[in-house]
Structure formats: structure tokens, C-alpha cells
Amino acid sequence: MPSPARQDFLPFALSLAAAARAETLPRWRTGCASEDKGGTADYDPVTDADREGERAMRALIEAEFPDHGISGEEFPDRPASGPWCWSLDPVDGTRSFTCGLPNWVTLIALLHEGRPVLGVIDAPALDELYTGFGEAAVLIAAGAASPARVSDCRSLVDARFSTTDPYLFSGTELDAFQAVRSRVRTMRYGHDGYGYARVAAGSLDLVIENSLKPHDYNALIPVVRAAGGVIGDWRGGEDLSAGKIIAAATPQLFEAAVSCMENAA
Amino acid sequence: MPSPARQDFLPFALSLAAAARAETLPRWRTGCASEDKGGTADYDPVTDADREGERAMRALIEAEFPDHGISGEEFPDRPASGPWCWSLDPVDGTRSFTCGLPNWVTLIALLHEGRPVLGVIDAPALDELYTGFGEAAVLIAAGAASPARVSDCRSLVDARFSTTDPYLFSGTELDAFQAVRSRVRTMRYGHDGYGYARVAAGSLDLVIENSLKPHDYNALIPVVRAAGGVIGDWRGGEDLSAGKIIAAATPQLFEAAVSCMENAA
């Protein structure tokens, strides 16, 4: 029997996103206002959303694909007994979640022999889901699907550039970031994994970050690549294991960012 | 005949927001992706959204209240022949708008003898409208209204703090900002006028900014105050004309921010 292809897992991946949404979205913006704080002292909506979101996704995977591995943020890894493994981050952008801001996402990746081949970036509070596998990237907004495609931005001077928090950079990394920042057309902050979704959809052109963990970046790779974009490391390669990521709309823009950062450091 | 009270203008202010939405929202996320760039060379969706949004609001005011003044971002001021004046910013957060990000807002304020008495912060892409007048603040999300109320956060160590862009600060202003940043629980960036709306709704506790113009801050004042919050200047007073704004959930937090900034500068 042939092994299933990555696109065969798409409906299942969407069911994982839906299961996580059912746990995360009802907990968002609860416990924010003063009148809601009277409950138990250890009430923490984002921790609950993280844990219950991941638990719901794990239960579906364990029931449907008991041979698949699972690596998530909240629970110990479950080793695979075959080539397939899921990487899960129920709430990426926990600070936005706790601040009642809508740009947090759920990240889901399917890996085949260690390489991410299908990604989902779901933004429950915005009702936008971005998915990519092979050369097909799709945005499902308010239930309506449309193709996702990167912009044709090729140079820093035209680029709409985003990073989550400039204070995550220091030393030569800060110099490298600031060199790019000083050259781009527009700079935005604060979007965590959602920034990569908007690169895939063509309204941002460039995201540069550090400090990302595998469950932060695994899902981004298939989405950005399937939309026609480039995602790699700060040296221009494809080794993301140090957590230093560049996502760009075009190879030219990716190379321009790498070159600008190398010259600054 | 008695002069109308500020709340009598609420339905009209909501109609202004709806008229602006009809011009701004259809232009958002157009012209983003490469395949949409083939049009006329001067196509600029945010400029069109700004201009047409303000034009639509002005037309309603001129027809309904020809004696009211109008001060907007896009067209020359129209002087009042009475005590009432409208302050309009059709797209606050133009960088977010051009980057296809959802956290841009339309700002509408009604001023009586120069003092803002009714404010609207409308977030069309999020379908959230925040309004405040007197002691009543309301959030209308997806058509459903609920009271808006600040949090009870009283100290920097517990505060969820937001500013749009830390690179807008330099010199002693940067020192003052960084002193606050280093003390708070959570820091977020990138939300322009939407940050103040989330202070009013109790999920952010503190916003500090500089460089704001009257059409940027007039609408924020009644919304934050009606929700129970404090909005003032960096010296702890109420003179916003220098564009240096602090919005805080409680008087204690406001004073803590002022004191922290004064000690740092």
C-alpha cells in the first residue's frame, strides 16, 4: 500500500485547527477586565488555552494515527513508529492573547522524516486560516477559500518589514536588524506567527526574527514556500535550528536581507 | 431651545463610522499581491481610503449640521458657527492598513467649545467599534453591544503596556520609555489607536506615545475616560497639545508611569 501523500492529510489538519479553536477562542478576552478577576487565584486563561488546545489536537492524532509522532509545547514528545510526526503550538503570540489582541495563532505542522511538508497557521480571533503544502497555499477567511500568494517585492527599499519585538535583538544581532530596518519602506511590530501568514498572503514582504523554537517555525515553512516565498536562516541557508529566521516574498529580497545583515554585523 | 446633549449625537456618530467603513474596508488588502499591481501607476489604496472616508463623513455632517465645524486629516478645516466641531481621522494606522494587518482604526470625535465630549474608535477589519461619552463606554463587536470598562491594574509590575513603535522615541524620551518598559509585565507594539480601545476594554492597562496630532488623540479621550481610565500628558497633566500621551487603567497606574518617566529623564 503506498504511503499517503501530504495533501491527503489536509482535511485532518483542518480538523486539528478546529479542535484547537474550540478550546482557545472561548478563553480569549476572559479574565481581562477587573470584574472577571474574582475567580480562583491560579486562573490563567492563556495557560488553559495552551494546554487544552494541545490536548484536543493530541487526542485526535492518537485516535486517528497512532503511529504518528507528536511534538508540542505543553506535553512530552510522543515518538513516531513511522515517518510522520506532528509539531503543535496551540497559542503562538501568548502575549497578544493575554492582552486581548487578536493577532495570536495556532501553529500545526506535519513532518515527513523530519521535514515539514504541510503547515497550518490559524488565527481564530480573526477567523483566518492559512495552509500550505507543496505548491498550494490557501487562505480560508470567514469560511471562504482563496489562493495565497506572496508579493513580487524584490528590494529592501520597497519592503514592508515586520518583526515581533525589536528588544529581542542585542549586540551584532541588533546591528543587523537595525541595518534592515533603516532601509525598508515600512516597519511593523508585534505579529508573531501571523506576520509569516501575511507574507504568504502578499501584504507583508519580509519577516526577520530570532529565538524561534521548532514548534514556532515548523508550520511556517510549508505555508511560506507553498505561497511562492523563501524561508531560511540568517546566513542565507536553510538551517533554522538556531531559531534565526528570514521569510521573504522573493529570492532577491531574501538575498538582499542576508547581505544587508552580514555587512552590518 | 436647549442645546443638544452629547449623547444625542451618538446615533449620528455611528452613522459617520458606518459611512467611513463603506469607503475604507473595501480598499483594504487590495493592491497587496503582485497580481493586483497592474493598474494605474498612482493607485494607492490607503490614500484613497483616507480621502474617500473623510469625504463621506464630511458630506453627512454638512448635510445634517451645517453649523458644525470639521477638522480632518485630508481636507482644510471648516470653521464652526456654534460650539460644536468634529475631529476626523479616517485611517489611523496607515502602515498597518498598507501591510494588510487588521489593527487600523477610524477616529471620530465631537468637540464642544474645543473639548472632546464624544469619541468613536472604529476597527472595521475587526468589526469592533468602541464609543464613549460622559460615563458610558460601549463596545459593539459584530453588532453586539456590551459595556467597556478598564482593568483595575494599579502598578507597573502588573501592567500590560503598549506603544506603536519604540523607534519614535529618542534621547530623554527613549530613556523614559525604556524605564517603563523594563518594569511592566507585558510589552506589545504596533497598535496605534486600537491600543487605547483595548485599554478602555480592560485587556491592556497602559499606552504611552508621542508625536500624536489632535485628530489622532481627540477621539481617544472620551472613550478612555468614559470606560473609567485616565488619559493625560507625560507630566501628569491634561495638556495633550504636545502630542505626548499616557492612557492608563487607573489613576494609580497613571501616576506610577509619570513618576517612572520623570525619574528616568
Side-chain angles (χ1 to χ4, degrees):
Chain A
M1 193 177 82
S3 173
R6 55 201 168 200
Q7 65 268 24
D8 296 336
F9 291 108
L10 179 61
F12 181 72
L14 298 182
S15 75
L16 294 181
R21 262 197 204 200
E23 298 294 338
T24 56
L25 196 52
R27 290 177 169 91
W28 182 57
R29 292 188 174 173
T30 62
C32 289
S34 55
E35 59 269 32
D36 295 329
K37 283 189 183 165
T40 59
D42 60 353
Y43 178 58
D44 182 341
V46 68
T47 302
D48 283 355
D50 259 312
R51 190 171 47 232
E52 298 306 321
E54 185 169 327
R55 201 195 304 274
M57 291 191 282
R58 281 176 174 262
L60 288 177
I61 297 167
E62 287 167 11
E64 190 78 13
F65 300 112
D67 57 321
H68 287 199
I70 306 175
S71 178
E73 210 188 0
E74 297 292 322
F75 299 98
D77 285 0
R78 198 183 76 155
S81 60
W84 302 100
C85 183
W86 295 88
S87 169
L88 308 174
D89 188 358
V91 179
D92 178 70
T94 55
R95 288 184 177 81
S96 290
F97 189 101
T98 61
C99 292
L101 300 166
N103 49 347
W104 51 276
V105 292
T106 299
L107 299 174
I108 301 165
L110 175 63
L111 288 79
H112 185 262
E113 293 175 352
R115 291 188 315 108
V117 293
L118 186 156
V120 172
I121 305 172
D122 187 36
L126 299 168
D127 198 5
E128 296 175 5
L129 183 148
Y130 303 76
T131 184
F133 47 92
E135 295 181 8
V138 175
L139 162 57
I140 304 172
S146 59
R149 188 76 196 158
V150 294
S151 80
D152 63 358
C153 179
R154 293 182 177 84
S155 63
L156 292 175
V157 70
D158 293 323
R160 295 160 295 184
F161 173 32
S162 181
T163 197
T164 299
D165 181 349
Y167 286 91
L168 293 175
F169 304 113
S170 62
T172 56
E173 291 191 3
L174 182 59
D175 295 339
F177 161 72
Q178 294 198 136
V180 177
R181 190 190 73 83
S182 69
R183 281 165 178 77
V184 296
R185 191 177 86 198
T186 306
M187 180 79 231
R188 292 280 82 190
Y189 301 100
H191 293 286
D192 296 283
Y194 187 64
Y196 300 83
R198 293 311 308 172
V199 169
S203 73
L204 285 169
D205 309 303
L206 182 65
V207 177
I208 298 178
E209 305 205 281
N210 62 0
S211 315
L212 268 63
K213 302 217 165 54
H215 60 254
D216 295 323
Y217 62 70
N218 277 329
L220 312 173
I221 298 168
V223 176
V224 170
R225 289 185 181 159
V230 180
I231 188 164
D233 64 53
W234 286 26
R235 294 173 179 275
E238 296 195 347
D239 179 10
L240 305 189
S241 61
K244 299 185 181 186
I245 316 287
I246 302 175
T250 61
Q252 295 89 339
L253 183 60
F254 181 83
E255 290 303 327
V258 170
S259 172
C260 177
M261 295 172 82
E262 281 180 349
N263 291 334
Chain B
M1 193 177 81
S3 173
R6 55 200 168 200
Q7 65 268 26
D8 297 336
F9 290 108
L10 179 62
F12 182 72
L14 298 182
S15 75
L16 294 181
R21 263 197 203 200
E23 297 295 337
T24 56
L25 197 51
R27 291 178 169 90
W28 182 57
R29 292 188 175 174
T30 62
C32 288
S34 56
E35 60 267 32
D36 295 329
K37 284 188 182 165
T40 58
D42 60 354
Y43 179 59
D44 181 342
V46 68
T47 304
D48 283 355
D50 258 313
R51 190 171 47 233
E52 298 308 320
E54 185 169 327
R55 201 196 303 274
M57 291 190 282
R58 282 176 174 261
L60 287 177
I61 297 166
E62 287 167 9
E64 191 76 13
F65 300 111
D67 56 322
H68 286 199
I70 306 175
S71 177
E73 208 188 2
E74 296 292 321
F75 298 98
D77 285 358
R78 198 183 75 155
S81 59
W84 302 100
C85 182
W86 295 88
S87 170
L88 307 174
D89 187 358
V91 180
D92 177 70
T94 55
R95 288 184 178 83
S96 290
F97 189 102
T98 60
C99 290
L101 300 165
N103 49 348
W104 51 275
V105 291
T106 299
L107 300 173
I108 301 166
L110 175 63
L111 288 80
H112 184 262
E113 293 175 353
R115 290 189 314 108
V117 292
L118 187 157
V120 172
I121 304 172
D122 187 37
L126 299 168
D127 198 4
E128 296 175 4
L129 182 146
Y130 303 75
T131 183
F133 47 92
E135 295 181 8
V138 175
L139 162 58
I140 304 172
S146 59
R149 187 75 196 161
V150 293
S151 80
D152 63 359
C153 179
R154 293 181 176 84
S155 63
L156 291 174
V157 71
D158 293 323
R160 295 160 294 184
F161 173 32
S162 179
T163 196
T164 299
D165 180 350
Y167 286 91
L168 293 175
F169 303 113
S170 62
T172 56
E173 291 192 1
L174 181 60
D175 296 338
F177 161 72
Q178 295 198 134
V180 177
R181 190 189 73 82
S182 68
R183 281 165 179 77
V184 296
R185 192 177 86 199
T186 306
M187 180 79 231
R188 292 279 83 189
Y189 301 100
H191 293 286
D192 296 283
Y194 186 65
Y196 300 83
R198 293 312 308 172
V199 170
S203 74
L204 286 169
D205 308 303
L206 182 66
V207 177
I208 299 178
E209 305 205 282
N210 62 0
S211 316
L212 268 63
K213 303 221 164 53
H215 59 255
D216 294 322
Y217 63 70
N218 277 328
L220 311 174
I221 299 168
V223 175
V224 170
R225 290 186 181 158
V230 179
I231 187 163
D233 64 53
W234 286 27
R235 294 172 179 275
E238 296 195 345
D239 178 9
L240 305 189
S241 60
K244 298 185 181 186
I245 316 287
I246 302 174
T250 61
Q252 294 89 339
L253 183 60
F254 181 82
E255 290 303 327
V258 169
S259 172
C260 177
M261 295 171 81
E262 281 180 349
N263 290 334

